[in-house]
């Protein structure tokens, strides 16, 4: 059985890295206690991880009995990940450490949505991000790119992206050839869910749903500690559930999808229609904040519509919690109260809590998490 030793070595590395990620700094002795590994095995793995600059010894704190065990921690600062979230007209770019803490962010403009145009924009953004954070290229451990569409993350292929008009595009390979750094891709919802599982509100949950409401609506599921992609990378498309038969035209080409009736562009369109004048997103946010009745009514309807479909998802999958993100989180309780009320109305048995976890850089940080996940690999770790 050759390879057994290296397999268990990889397993022990993941076990210790994920324990440190979840619990914070702990001593070698505690690591041995929690993992059940022998002290010698822990010392061996920790030494190896220190050689790879993945873990570090922190300052010992004096304890009551006078012994000062040295805490081991992940060396979050030593490695860098780059995250790129592809939007229709721009790319949200971020440089993070291993904890997906942003060190530099920027918004890159894209001339067009051709693969070449996108790759060029990413290539140009990298030195700018590094300069802003005053960090070196050699510390980059990987790049994550999140793409709206159906993605095969294992093969690094964009199966289809209606928003960009891409089909069967080996995007990870195309980009890696240019930047000479490992590249991971996934759809933006799964990337958000991975970031939530690594360092967000989903951190301590093995079963949860990550919902995002913004330009689209999506809901990724983490089931038994793993992102559920589905058999054809088509899972989590809550936004394309038919909400209104023969309703409004969706970007996917079908009619009546939930996102075509309840995502942000649909809210803005509806406001324009009722007010009979064009409106920007900023105007709409202002209208919501000043208590404009039309705006609040629209959020009420959108929230209720999303909540009803979310209840179906809960009835099917019974998640521990639902983590909510996306730009529409900015509308706060004006959107979330009707959403929660409608969900409650249609729930059958379980009543999971809605937790919001969102900052403007969350999408790009999700993309960066695709790279950092390659180190933690929580899906294949019992301590994940
Ligand atoms: Zn659709």
């Amino acid at each position: 059985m050759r390879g057994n030793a290296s397999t268990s070595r990889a397993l022990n590395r993941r076990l210790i890295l994920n324990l440190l990620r979840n619990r914070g700094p702990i001593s070698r002795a505690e690591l041995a206690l929690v993992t059940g590994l022998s002290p010698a095995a822990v010392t061996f793995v920790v030494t190896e991880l220190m050689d790879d600059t993945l873990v570090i010894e922190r300052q010992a704190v004096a304890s009551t009995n006078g012994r000062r065990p040295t805490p081991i921690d992940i060396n979050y600062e030593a490695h860098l990940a780059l995250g790129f979230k592809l939007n229709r007209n721009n790319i949200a770019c971020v440089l993070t450490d291993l904890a997906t803490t942003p060190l530099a962010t920027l918004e890159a403009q894209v001339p067009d949505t051709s693969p070449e145009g996108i790759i060029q924009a990413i290539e140009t953004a990298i030195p700018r991000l590094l300069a802003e954070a005053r960090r070196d290229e050699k510390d980059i451990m990987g790049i994550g790119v999140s793409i709206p569409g159906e993605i095969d993350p294992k093969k690094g292929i964009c199966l289809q992206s209606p928003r960009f008009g891409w089909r069967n595009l080996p995007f990870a390979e195309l980009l890696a050839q240019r930047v000479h750094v490992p590249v991971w891709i996934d759809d933006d919802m799964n990337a958000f869910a991975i970031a939530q599982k690594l360092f967000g509100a989903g951190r301590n949950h093995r079963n949860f749903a990550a919902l995002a409401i913004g330009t689209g609506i999506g809901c990724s599921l983490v089931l038994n500690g793993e992102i559920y992609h589905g058999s054809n990378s088509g899972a989590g498309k809550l936004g394309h559930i038919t909400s209104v038969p023969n309703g409004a035209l969706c970007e996917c080409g079908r009619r009546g999808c939930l996102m075509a009736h309840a995502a942000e562009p649909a809210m803005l369109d509806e406001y324009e229609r009722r007010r009979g004048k064009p409106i920007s997103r900023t105007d709409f946010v202002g209208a919501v904040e000043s208590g404009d009745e039309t705006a609040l009514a629209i959020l009420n309807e959108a929230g209720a519509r999303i909540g009803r479909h979310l209840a179906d998802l809960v009835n099917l999958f019974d998640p521990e919690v639902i983590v909510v993100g996306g730009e529409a989180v900015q509308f706060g309780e004006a959107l979330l109260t009707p959403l929660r009320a409608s969900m409650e109305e249609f729930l059958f048995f379980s009543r999971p809590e809605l937790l919001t976890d969102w900052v403007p850089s969350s999408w790009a940080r999700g993309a960066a998490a695709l790279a950092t996940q390659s180190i933690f690999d929580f899906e294949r770790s019992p301590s994940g």
Side-chain angles (χ1 to χ4, degrees):
M1 294 291 282
R2 294 184 75 194
N4 251 9
S6 67
T7 308
S8 71
R9 211 170 99 199
L11 196 77
N12 290 342
R13 281 170 68 105
R14 280 201 296 274
L15 183 68
I16 286 177
L17 284 171
N18 281 293
L19 262 178
L20 294 173
R21 174 175 64 80
N22 278 331
R23 299 197 176 202
I26 47 178
S27 69
R28 288 177 179 82
E30 278 177 277
L31 277 170
L33 204 68
V34 179
T35 57
L37 296 171
S38 70
V42 167
T43 300
F44 178 79
V45 177
V46 167
T47 305
E48 202 184 63
L49 289 170
M50 282 175 74
D51 289 345
D52 295 343
T53 63
L54 283 171
V55 304
I56 193 170
E57 288 182 338
R58 301 274 186 216
Q59 198 70 40
V61 188
S63 65
T64 44
N65 63 7
R67 292 178 59 205
R68 293 151 63 104
T70 309
I72 306 297
D73 194 8
I74 292 168
N75 195 353
Y76 290 110
E77 309 84 23
H79 302 268
L80 302 172
L82 285 154
F84 299 96
K85 147 81 159 114
L86 308 191
N87 297 312
R88 199 190 298 271
N89 303 311
N90 60 56
I91 305 174
C93 314
V94 70
L95 177 74
T96 75
D97 64 10
L98 281 188
T100 65
T101 305
L103 305 173
T105 58
L106 67 87
E107 193 181 282
Q109 298 308 311
V110 283
D112 56 76
T113 55
S114 70
E116 178 54 33
I118 302 271
I119 288 171
Q120 189 112 48
I122 290 176
E123 234 183 336
T124 316
I126 295 172
R128 288 177 57 200
L129 289 164
L130 287 167
E132 194 189 318
R134 296 187 182 163
R135 294 294 299 258
D136 201 282
E137 194 180 0
K138 68 170 175 25
D139 295 331
I140 299 174
M141 48 74 55
I143 293 177
V145 183
S146 69
I147 304 170
E150 283 62 62
I151 313 296
D152 182 336
K154 288 203 173 73
K155 293 186 180 147
I157 292 172
C158 172
L159 302 170
Q160 71 160 12
S161 174
R163 212 171 289 175
F164 294 144
W166 295 356
R167 271 192 99 82
N168 296 320
L169 182 76
F171 188 83
E173 192 188 320
L174 290 174
L175 178 60
Q177 281 169 1
R178 290 275 284 275
V179 295
H180 310 294
V181 175
V183 176
W184 288 270
I185 65 171
D186 206 332
D187 77 49
D188 42 11
M189 270 316 306
N190 289 336
F192 174 63
I194 288 171
Q196 285 302 322
K197 175 68 184 141
L198 280 173
F199 297 104
R203 190 174 187 153
N204 297 312
H205 298 284
R206 285 184 63 77
N207 289 291
F208 69 94
L211 168 73
I213 311 164
T215 311
I217 296 171
C219 192
S220 275
L221 292 165
V222 174
L223 301 176
N224 300 320
E226 289 183 28
I227 303 286
Y228 183 71
H229 284 92
S231 49
N232 299 292
S233 300
K237 308 297 177 190
L238 188 73
H240 296 288
I241 280 179
T242 304
S243 184
V244 180
N246 298 313
L249 187 66
C250 179
E251 66 171 26
C252 71
R254 296 157 67 243
R255 284 194 172 274
C257 292
L258 174 61
M259 69 167 273
H261 289 272
E264 275 196 2
M267 296 178 198
L268 264 65
D269 284 353
E270 187 58 22
Y271 192 87
E272 283 187 359
R273 201 185 60 77
R274 291 190 199 178
R275 280 303 178 87
K277 59 173 185 186
I279 187 174
S280 69
R281 185 181 187 276
T282 315
D283 293 339
F284 186 70
V285 171
V288 173
E289 280 168 358
S290 64
D292 176 295
E293 277 182 29
T294 310
L296 292 179
I298 289 168
L299 286 179
N300 203 52
E301 289 159 29
R305 188 177 289 284
I306 297 166
R308 175 159 62 86
H309 294 290
L310 199 58
D312 293 340
L313 182 134
V314 171
N315 291 340
L316 275 173
F317 291 101
D318 188 14
E320 290 158 23
V321 293
I322 299 166
V323 183
V324 190
E327 292 80 359
V329 163
Q330 191 182 1
F331 301 129
E333 287 307 312
L335 177 70
L336 296 175
T337 299
L339 192 155
R340 204 180 285 116
S342 156
M343 183 178 85
E344 291 277 338
E345 186 185 343
F346 293 101
L347 284 177
F348 175 67
F349 181 70
S350 301
R351 288 181 149 59
E353 199 184 343
L354 286 184
L355 309 169
T356 52
D357 189 345
W358 185 256
V359 291
S361 62
S362 287
W363 282 128
R365 287 169 70 187
L370 297 174
T372 52
Q373 161 68 348
S374 70
I375 287 179
F376 296 105
D377 201 0
F378 61 76
E379 295 189 317
R380 295 201 294 146
S381 173
S383 57

